[in-house]
Amino acid sequence: MGEIVDGMDRISELPVHIIHDILRRIRKFGLEEEARTCVLSKTWSSIWRMRPDVIISHYSHKSLSDNLENFVKFVDDSLRPYAELSLRIEKLSLELSLEHPEMASHIDRWLNLAIKHNVRSLQLFPMFNLNYSIPDAIYAANKTLTELSLRRCKFEIYNSTSTTNKLQRIISTCPFIRDLNISNCTGIKNLRVSGLVNLEILELTECEGLVKVEVQAPNLRKFVYVGVPLDMYPTTREPESLPCTIDILDGYKTLQFLKLEATTMTDQEFEYQLSKFPALEVLDLRGCYIMKNIKVVSEKLKSFTLWNWTNLEQVNMMAPNLMEFKFESGKTCMPFSTMDPSNLEMVNINFYPYSSNSWNFGDMDRSWYSNLQDFVQKFNYSKGLILVFYCKEVLTSFFSFTGVIYISA
């Protein structure tokens, strides 16, 4: 309960904006933890129920997850005070797991209400293939919208006389967007992100049909692209048939975080793009289908990840300030063996050599172990090293047991 001294509720005396800030900090531990703060005082409970960040999640209200009528009533009741008292809605986040043909019309109503109340952040995360189309009301948020996160939405061509889809028009209509996250959406073929001078974060994840991305954002700090995995295409298994051209035209001095996964970028294309970003600090490359020989030259790079690679042959590194390196591969080669790791503070190397008969390190030739041993011995000044091995049986004297191996330096 709230601390009461001389009949006074001290918690209720806290300024409203301070309580909102405390609630935001508690939220990282879960919505349930945030809701529990209602017991602190009646004032606190009232402020929590009318907080500017409205987050609705099926996972936090499992008793409503199987009944559309009850769930819609719950959301309507949650939003009613904002409509009746003209309260501001800074953020509306909808995480939905209930699949129902009538859900789209209710989402339209909730988004329209938030837009009328000058929403700054919109997040829509259906857990099923809703094929939801964002209503035209979104364009009315052109003066307030700074964050937009959409999953499993369908972006149709705007009208019969235009080739521009709704996402492209949102980008051109809402110039104050700082954070744009588009995931598992359809209807996007050619995406040009320009005119967003405030854009700092751009994430594009598994958008089927996307063939070209062009980014011109002078203040971009983080760019993430995750292509559609090949196993999502049962009849098309060749990456060359699923191309997506990525060209970042700006952000030369600002881009600090770059993640590419399941791309069809070639070695030359990657080297050209990387050369544009001297301020890059984090580089994360995962399961890129075509790249085999990677060259990384970066003065400021601090963290480098190569994860889920099966075709990588060689990595040429010139990154004197690198502090963290992570590697995972289904092959037994060590393309990084020539790298100087003396300044690294954290290394995570994960091999899972697979053959048709077994996962067996004992079948590998002595040169592999010799290269690995030489690489490990270079860590004279490292603060820590972790090597993770998955194997069935180890038959060499260098490693004497099965499973996970941790080496600390």
Side-chain angles (χ1 to χ4, degrees), residues 147-271:
E147 178 182 355
L148 181 63
S149 297
L150 301 174
R151 181 188 299 165
R152 293 187 174 90
C153 291
K154 178 175 62 176
F155 292 102
E156 299 172 334
I157 299 299
Y158 181 62
N159 57 48
S160 58
T161 62
S162 172
T163 59
T164 302
N165 62 40
K166 280 191 174 182
L167 177 59
Q168 199 69 66
R169 190 176 179 204
I170 291 172
I171 291 172
S172 62
T173 304
C174 303
F176 300 107
I177 293 178
R178 293 199 309 265
D179 187 341
L180 180 61
N181 189 320
I182 307 298
S183 176
N184 299 96
C185 293
T186 60
I188 315 168
K189 184 177 181 180
N190 298 300
L191 179 63
R192 178 176 173 81
V193 180
S194 63
L196 301 180
V197 296
N198 298 302
L199 186 67
E200 296 181 358
I201 300 173
L202 175 60
E203 300 187 38
L204 304 170
T205 303
E206 296 189 18
C207 293
E208 185 176 349
L210 182 61
V211 298
K212 184 177 181 180
V213 178
E214 193 172 274
V215 183
Q216 190 165 14
N219 293 300
L220 191 66
R221 292 189 299 104
K222 179 179 180 179
F223 177 73
V224 174
Y225 172 85
V226 179
V228 179
L230 282 180
D231 55 18
M232 297 292 290
Y233 296 90
T235 59
T236 305
R237 303 292 296 181
E238 295 299 325
E240 291 83 355
S241 63
L242 304 171
C244 182
T245 303
I246 301 171
D247 196 5
I248 306 175
L249 303 175
D250 215 332
Y252 300 156
K253 297 180 180 180
T254 59
L255 193 70
Q256 297 177 330
F257 185 107
L258 176 62
K259 178 180 178 181
L260 301 173
E261 180 174 351
T263 73
T264 56
M265 190 177 289
T266 65
D267 296 340
Q268 294 76 20
E269 290 170 340
F270 169 73
E271 185 175 345

Side-chain angles (χ1 to χ4, degrees), residues 312-369:
L312 193 60
E313 295 178 358
Q314 185 64 45
V315 178
N316 294 311
M317 289 285 299
M318 293 181 64
N321 295 302
L322 192 68
M323 301 172 64
E324 179 179 290
F325 178 60
K326 299 178 182 179
F327 178 83
E328 179 187 87
S329 177
K331 295 178 68 176
T332 58
C333 66
M334 281 181 288
F336 53 84
S337 59
T338 59
M339 182 177 69
D340 180 8
S342 58
N343 292 324
L344 291 174
E345 296 181 359
M346 197 285 284
V347 178
N348 186 337
I349 300 174
N350 184 354
F351 289 104
Y352 50 97
Y354 177 76
S355 68
S356 58
N357 298 321
S358 65
W359 297 64
N360 195 337
F361 274 81
D363 292 337
M364 294 187 294
D365 57 51
R366 286 184 174 273
S367 63
W368 187 89
Y369 293 102

Side-chain angles (χ1 to χ4, degrees), residues 374-387:
D374 290 343
F375 181 73
V376 172
Q377 288 175 346
K378 296 178 182 179
F379 286 85
N380 296 331
Y381 303 100
S382 299
K383 296 181 180 179
L385 170 63
I386 299 176
L387 299 182

Side-chain angles (χ1 to χ4, degrees), residues 28 42 93 102 126-127 155 163 224 234 269 285 290 330 341 393:
K28 66 181 181 180
K42 291 182 179 180
S93 178
E102 295 181 11
M127 297 296 106
F155 292 102
T163 59
V224 174
E269 290 170 340
L285 303 176
I290 297 178
E393 183 179 6

